[in-house]
Amino acid sequence: MKPEAAHQADDDAAARRRVVVDLGMRSYDILIGPGLVDAAGEEIARRLPGVRAAVVTDETVAGLHLDRLSIALRAAGIDHSTVVLPAGEPTKSFEHLTRVVDAVLAQRLERDDAVIALGGGVVGDLAGFASAIARRGMRFVQMPTTLLAQVDSSVGGKTGINSPRGKNLIGAFHQPALVLADTALLDTLSPREFAAGYAEIVKYGLIDRPEFFDWLERSREAIFAGGPERAEAIRQSCEAKAAVVAVDEREHAGRALLNLGHTFGHALEAAVGYDSRRLVHGEGVAIGMTLAYRFSTELGLCPAADAGRGEAHLRAAGLPTRIAEIPGGPLSTAQLMTGIAQDKKVKRGHLTFILTRGIGQAFVESDVAPAAVEAFLDRELAR
Amino acid sequence: MKPEAAHQADDDAAARRRVVVDLGMRSYDILIGPGLVDAAGEEIARRLPGVRAAVVTDETVAGLHLDRLSIALRAAGIDHSTVVLPAGEPTKSFEHLTRVVDAVLAQRLERDDAVIALGGGVVGDLAGFASAIARRGMRFVQMPTTLLAQVDSSVGGKTGINSPRGKNLIGAFHQPALVLADTALLDTLSPREFAAGYAEIVKYGLIDRPEFFDWLERSREAIFAGGPERAEAIRQSCEAKAAVVAVDEREHAGRALLNLGHTFGHALEAAVGYDSRRLVHGEGVAIGMTLAYRFSTELGLCPAADAGRGEAHLRAAGLPTRIAEIPGGPLSTAQLMTGIAQDKKVKRGHLTFILTRGIGQAFVESDVAPAAVEAFLDRELAR
Ligand SMILES: NC(=O)c1ccc[n+]([C@@H]2O[C@H](COP(=O)([O-])OP(=O)(O)OC[C@H]3O[C@@H](n4cnc5c(N)ncnc54)[C@H](O)[C@@H]3O)[C@@H](O)[C@H]2O)c1
Ligand SMILES: NC(=O)c1ccc[n+]([C@@H]2O[C@H](COP(=O)([O-])OP(=O)(O)OC[C@H]3O[C@@H](n4cnc5c(N)ncnc54)[C@H](O)[C@@H]3O)[C@@H](O)[C@H]2O)c1
Ligand SMILES: [Zn+2]
Ligand SMILES: [Zn+2]
């Protein structure tokens, strides 16, 4: 009879899912499931034999999960150092980038060696960028530990840091060699961060996967509770994003639909000064998607029932859907219009938005009159 | 009858040469010839209609040539800013990288806009890297103003900065949209810098273009004097490098032969602490190539006459070819062996060198015994 732990490992392996990101020679696997941290050494060593590594993480994640990863790497004979950064968005800076690159070079890692990012989107974006520029490009392994990172930021190869002039303005496209999304690590995430990541999952349904949205309506509770539906939801999300990335690796135009809810969402984030106590990104996206659906309804494009269904699902997940729900004092239409104009290039006086004809029927509309958005926002602010 | 200036422009255009770097969708032109600074606006605007630009240069080059470029860009309606950096290798730092990226973002340039590098390899490497990471990659135009930059650093897409841990350890592969090599700008270059760049031209002959080497022996004086042979020598050099780059864009292995003379050369540069008063890169390469040829002769691979011919040509160009010529006190074999071990990965106790069977017959030898190199250097130091 096998001991308990071995049973658990067998069950975990059976629950595991795999998505292949198809980029020709640079195709890579995304493995999704519980217990992948403990299997990380083995999975990495199998794909990158002889690799040495620098593990980049933040203080919060280090306290919770770094030891297990170190043990797994050591067990697979992967010589590694660790760099622990402060948690939070301000870490995506030139200063911390320099620090990570220097640590990698100090360890004398070569181009075939790897940077391993263990953390949320902040760690993934920063460590990925460091791996893109140290020795003009090293190998990179993503181990996303937030739901947002597992379904969004770890897929697609966008890496980077913030500039005082704006978010994510400095970076590189650099694809990982492997993504390991341990779904059990999400159990330590705050409910608020989990819900925020869930907004991006709902996004894939609302864009162009109506059956996935139906399934989410039925499976939401199990996903939050950590059942096998969680890995399945993440798999479908990665697959949705990977399909877009395979067509448009360097983000020329094909990725536009992924911005559903993001023009409004970014304007909301900017309006609160990126104060995450008032609004985190996924919450902005939840409100933004609701606005995009409701605006589409106002324009006579989308049945009101579909907009209502989208909003109800986001609310059931504990997400805000109305501008007035943002704490810390009311926002103004003027503030939001400024953010919208900055987010998207205004082409000859017209704005580009992702609009929709119903659940899973989003499309790009590049001919939206600013006055129409303004009037709509006036009404929404009063809701 | 045309006015004098128009005649000159016609002559210049007739003297112009073109090399196409074949990288599929991202193929680009290298234009070579006198007067290209004045034609820059037109050549850029034709290829990148509507482009806006940031011109990056150094204080020395700005004083000599920036005004003409600005006039040419303005005449073609190209809105641009300029960033003037201190001249010299220390400029290839994170600090100046941040400065250039910030200037580009402050100007609100988009991904379709361009960074224009007007300067030597330092400006080209730094500005190219900035263009690679600002907005995750903008357009980039190289306007090399040193001979080294025209025949080497501006071709190939390698961009980057130095780390306190070593030269060129941080960077990106980022191909330019266009290279404009104005051969008349080289007239303001110091004879020493010109000769140093010439060493890299000779390198292409010594690697695998024996006829080109023959032609250089006949044409050296005209190249230095600024005759049409100068543009021709640069064209052949760019073609030689472009052929290698097209096969091996991201420098996996095929570029190895381009390192002829560089293992010894880098060890010499390191031994003098990168003090350019004692040794500039091209001088190190000249001595290094002579050493590679002489070492090949010692090993019974290369006729002594060929080694002598290579050395004589470099000497005629005003370049040093012996270690003892480096001013500032003698170097030791031990110092050089340390540099050699650091430059190339030592594989199971063996060193990799580019050796040769004669003029234009270089090859990679990855099985050189350190003791043989040591004994050879002992003798060379006494020469
Ligand atoms: N590259 C892309 O394509 C892309 C896409 C979307 C977002 N992003 C970027 O991602 C970032 C946001 O990512 P995020 O939401 O993951 O933020 P984050 O990395 O800051 O993580 C949020 C918080 O959760 C903590 N945390 C992480 N994992 C945990 C765990 N398992 N248990 C407990 N706490 C944990 C972190 O320490 C942090 O405090 C932004 O910088 C955004 O720009 C990038
Ligand atoms: N990217 C590559 O593939 C590659 C290849 C080889 C070398 N490099 C890099 O190139 C750099 C060396 O390049 P470099 O030799 O051109 O050095 P550089 O850019 O420092 O130029 C040498 C000096 O000449 C001055 N100068 C430039 N143009 C002039 C002109 N027309 N008239 C008068 N003065 C002028 C400069 O101000 C500087 O003082 C090194 O950093 C090296 O690492 C890169
Ligand atoms: Zn998002
Ligand atoms: Zn060189």
Side-chain angles (χ1 to χ4, degrees), chain A residues 163-234:
Chain A
S163 148
R165 313 228 171 238
K167 283 196 60 178
N168 297 319
L169 286 181
I170 304 166
F173 288 90
H174 189 58
Q175 301 291 344
L178 175 66
V179 181
L180 297 173
D182 186 332
T183 53
L185 297 191
L186 304 180
D187 291 337
T188 55
L189 207 59
S190 72
R192 189 178 177 200
E193 289 285 355
F194 193 94
Y198 187 71
E200 304 279 1
I201 295 183
V202 175
K203 185 182 76 173
Y204 297 113
L206 291 178
I207 290 172
D208 58 0
R209 308 204 161 204
E211 304 81 11
F212 181 49
F213 184 82
D214 295 346
W215 180 84
L216 287 175
E217 286 183 319
R218 296 193 302 277
S219 314
R220 178 183 47 75
E221 288 181 3
I223 294 167
F224 276 68
E229 289 85 352
R230 182 185 285 177
E232 177 58 19
I234 295 169

Side-chain angles (χ1 to χ4, degrees), chain B residues 152 200 262 281 285:
Chain B
D152 189 353
E200 304 279 2
H262 280 64
H281 174 73
V285 172

Side-chain angles (χ1 to χ4, degrees), chain B residues 267-289:
Chain B
L268 293 167
E269 285 184 273
V272 301
Y274 297 96
D275 180 347
S276 60
R277 286 163 306 182
R278 294 179 69 186
L279 191 73
V280 298
H281 174 73
E283 293 168 345
V285 172
I287 301 176
M289 293 191 295

Side-chain angles (χ1 to χ4, degrees), chain B residues 46-243:
Chain B
R46 179 193 310 165
R47 288 173 179 79
L48 311 174
V51 78
R52 299 166 62 225
V55 177
V56 181
T57 188
D58 72 26
E59 283 162 7
T60 306
V61 178
L64 294 165
H65 307 297
L66 180 58
D67 283 352
R68 275 170 66 203
L69 176 58
S70 283
I71 290 168
L73 294 177
R74 262 200 302 279
I78 298 176
D79 178 30
H80 65 281
S81 67
T82 56
V83 186
V84 181
L85 304 165
E89 189 71 28
T91 293
K92 278 174 57 175
S93 66
F94 252 121
E95 184 199 331
H96 288 101
L97 176 71
T98 313
R99 219 184 115 192
V100 173
V101 168
D102 190 63
V104 163
L105 297 176
Q107 205 188 336
R108 295 184 166 277
L109 297 185
E110 303 280 340
R111 286 169 72 179
D112 285 344
D113 294 323
V115 173
I116 302 175
L118 177 74
V122 165
V123 164
D125 281 11
L126 177 75
F129 188 32
S131 75
I133 64 174
R135 298 187 176 279
R136 295 202 187 86
M138 305 174 45
R139 280 158 163 180
F140 176 43
V141 175
Q142 287 265 27
M143 297 193 59
T145 66
T146 64
L147 186 52
L148 178 121
Q150 294 192 351
V151 300
D152 189 353
S153 63
S154 70
V155 185
K158 278 167 66 174
T159 70
I161 59 175
N162 301 323
S163 148
R165 312 229 171 236
K167 282 197 62 179
N168 298 318
L169 287 181
I170 304 165
F173 288 90
H174 190 58
Q175 300 292 344
L178 176 65
V179 181
L180 297 172
D182 186 332
T183 54
L185 298 191
L186 304 180
D187 290 338
T188 56
L189 207 59
S190 72
R192 189 177 176 199
E193 290 285 355
F194 193 94
Y198 187 72
E200 304 279 2
I201 295 182
V202 176
K203 184 183 75 172
Y204 297 113
L206 291 178
I207 290 172
D208 59 0
R209 308 204 162 207
E211 305 81 9
F212 181 49
F213 183 83
D214 295 347
W215 179 83
L216 288 174
E217 287 184 317
R218 296 193 304 276
S219 314
R220 177 182 49 75
E221 288 182 1
I223 294 167
F224 276 69
E229 290 85 352
R230 181 185 287 177
E232 178 57 20
I234 295 169
R235 179 189 73 76
Q236 294 240 26
S237 300
C238 289
E239 216 157 71
K241 184 155 182 189

Side-chain angles (χ1 to χ4, degrees), chain A residues 262-305:
Chain A
H262 279 63
T263 299
F264 285 125
H266 287 151
L268 293 166
E269 285 185 273
V272 301
Y274 296 96
D275 180 347
S276 60
R277 287 164 306 183
R278 295 179 69 187
L279 191 75
V280 298
H281 175 71
E283 292 168 345
V285 172
I287 302 175
M289 291 191 296
T290 306
L291 292 173
Y293 265 71
R294 290 175 57 83
F295 187 40
S296 300
T297 301
E298 272 214 9
L299 294 172
L301 294 162
C302 172

Side-chain angles (χ1 to χ4, degrees), chain A residues 37 55 57 61-71 82 84 118:
Chain A
V37 155
V55 177
T57 188
V61 178
L64 294 164
H65 307 296
L66 179 59
D67 283 352
R68 274 171 66 204
L69 177 59
S70 282
I71 290 168
T82 56
V84 182
L118 177 75

